[in-house]
Amino acid sequence: MASGNRFDEKSHDDENKYSKANVAKFIDAPENHVPVIRTIEKFLINLEADSVNKMMIAFFKDLQKSKFFKQHPDIMPGDFFLLAADCVHAHTYDHLHHVGKDEKNDCDCCLERVYNRGTENEKIKWQHNMLVFSFIFLGGLKIPVYRHCIRAKQIVNLENASDFVHKQECGIVALKTALPIIRETFPRMNIVLLLDGLYANRPVIRLANAQRCGYIIVRKDGCLTTLGEDCNGQSILPNHKKNCTKTFRGRVKGWEIERKYTWFNTASLDTSTTKKVITKKAEKNHLTTNVLRFLEIRTNGEETK
């Protein structure tokens, strides 16, 4: 079924938007199968905001209690659980969908976005974003376990920011709030965070360490530049080439495949590439990480990629 917010976006000026014909068309169902929308809305208004999270957590804990994961070791990535966090754009409005008595925005989840400010093409939109946490398993199984709705008061002075910067800030702010809750919910679980390039920064790595979580983060160009430079310098050393590089060559479906793995242990995340003497007092705050680089070259005689 499509979302009520999307239905409101398409039909908010229609006096008969709740007619059975309109709703049936929207959800692509016969009119006699249309739910009573007002009843659903009344139920959702009285629903506790955190009830969906409680339901997802209870479902996952039931699986643990029934030893589902021990009985299906083939779906486990190892002796740990992969926890993916993804910032999801849920809704966009070109009007204030919920106003108070003063005719001002009364939705604390609406994040204002201003495009082409100061021009004749200036547009204002309001977004709903949330950070969704899901446990990832082999074979494509994904179990959502928590979602954190991002509040407008958490994201300030970013109305004009690029979509990348805005999404990154939303994700980081939500992660700082939600990850301690998940750790408290699963205090003894061996968790490895699975994050995309939005989270390749020092605050997120410090947060993961503080919450006793491992992490796998994709580093994109432009992120953690000093780390990339440090790894580039190490990669040309003879000792590193001998002991920290693995190459695989083979043939798959007519392609000659060369895969190269290079790893760097306890690489420094200091902002300066200059080697520093780390005292015992400063060692506690010294941030390091492990890096794995992967390169694959495919050749079929005519094409290389």
Side-chain angles (χ1 to χ4, degrees), residues 2 12 19 22-23 33 43 50 74 83 110 113-114 123 132 135 164 195 205 211 234 269 274:
H12 65 90
S19 69
N22 272 354
V23 177
H33 290 171
F43 168 77
D50 204 40
D74 50 310
L83 181 64
C110 273
R113 301 286 285 131
V114 181
K123 290 183 180 180
V132 179
F135 284 112
F164 176 84
L195 305 173
I205 293 175
Q211 297 302 322
Q234 291 187 47
L269 281 169
T274 304

Side-chain angles (χ1 to χ4, degrees), residues 47-117:
L47 196 65
E48 290 184 14
D50 204 40
S51 60
V52 175
N53 285 335
K54 291 178 180 178
M55 178 188 68
M56 291 190 292
I57 290 171
F59 172 73
F60 190 84
K61 286 190 171 183
D62 281 347
L63 291 176
Q64 287 183 299
K65 188 176 180 180
S66 65
K67 302 188 185 306
F68 173 82
F69 303 111
K70 289 185 178 180
Q71 293 171 2
H72 298 84
D74 50 310
I75 68 171
M76 295 296 295
D79 60 348
F80 55 87
F81 286 85
L82 278 176
L83 181 64
D86 189 23
C87 189
V88 177
H89 173 206
H91 309 292
T92 297
Y93 301 95
D94 59 10
H95 67 287
L96 293 175
H97 71 101
H98 198 286
V99 295
K101 295 180 180 179
D102 57 359
E103 296 300 317
K104 293 183 178 180
N105 183 27
D106 194 34
C107 174
D108 65 347
C109 290
C110 273
L111 310 179
E112 185 176 334
R113 301 286 285 131
V114 181
Y115 299 94
N116 303 314
R117 183 186 286 275

Side-chain angles (χ1 to χ4, degrees), residues 16 36 53 83 145 265 267 271 299 301:
N16 299 314
V36 180
N53 285 335
L83 181 64
V145 71
N265 296 327
T271 55
T299 307

Side-chain angles (χ1 to χ4, degrees), residues 104-167:
K104 293 183 178 180
N105 183 27
D106 194 34
C107 174
D108 65 347
C109 290
C110 273
L111 310 179
E112 185 176 334
R113 301 286 285 131
V114 181
Y115 299 94
N116 303 314
R117 183 186 286 275
T119 70
E120 60 181 13
N121 296 321
E122 179 175 314
K123 290 183 180 180
I124 300 178
K125 294 187 177 183
W126 291 264
Q127 294 181 353
H128 282 200
N129 292 341
M130 64 179 67
L131 190 65
V132 179
F133 291 86
S134 302
F135 284 112
I136 307 297
F137 302 90
L138 303 181
L141 177 62
K142 180 171 69 174
I143 303 177
V145 71
Y146 194 85
R147 60 112 175 95
H148 175 78
C149 294
I150 300 166
R151 301 297 196 267
K153 64 182 180 181
Q154 295 178 289
I155 307 296
V156 295
N157 301 323
L158 286 175
E159 295 86 357
N160 304 314
S162 67
D163 289 339
F164 176 84
V165 171
H166 190 266
K167 186 177 181 181

Side-chain angles (χ1 to χ4, degrees), residues 184-238:
E184 184 178 357
T185 304
F186 302 102
R188 288 187 262 180
M189 179 181 286
N190 191 4
I191 295 175
V192 175
L193 297 174
L194 192 61
L195 305 173
D196 62 24
L198 292 174
Y199 304 91
N201 55 68
R202 293 170 182 82
V204 168
I205 293 175
R206 290 191 186 278
L207 175 65
N209 290 341
Q211 297 302 322
R212 298 178 288 109
C213 294
Y215 52 86
I216 301 173
I217 306 176
V218 177
R219 189 188 78 87
K220 295 183 178 180
D221 291 340
C223 299
L224 298 174
T225 54
T226 57
L227 175 64
E229 292 168 358
D230 187 35
C231 292
N232 289 341
Q234 291 187 47
S235 64
I236 62 176
L237 299 177

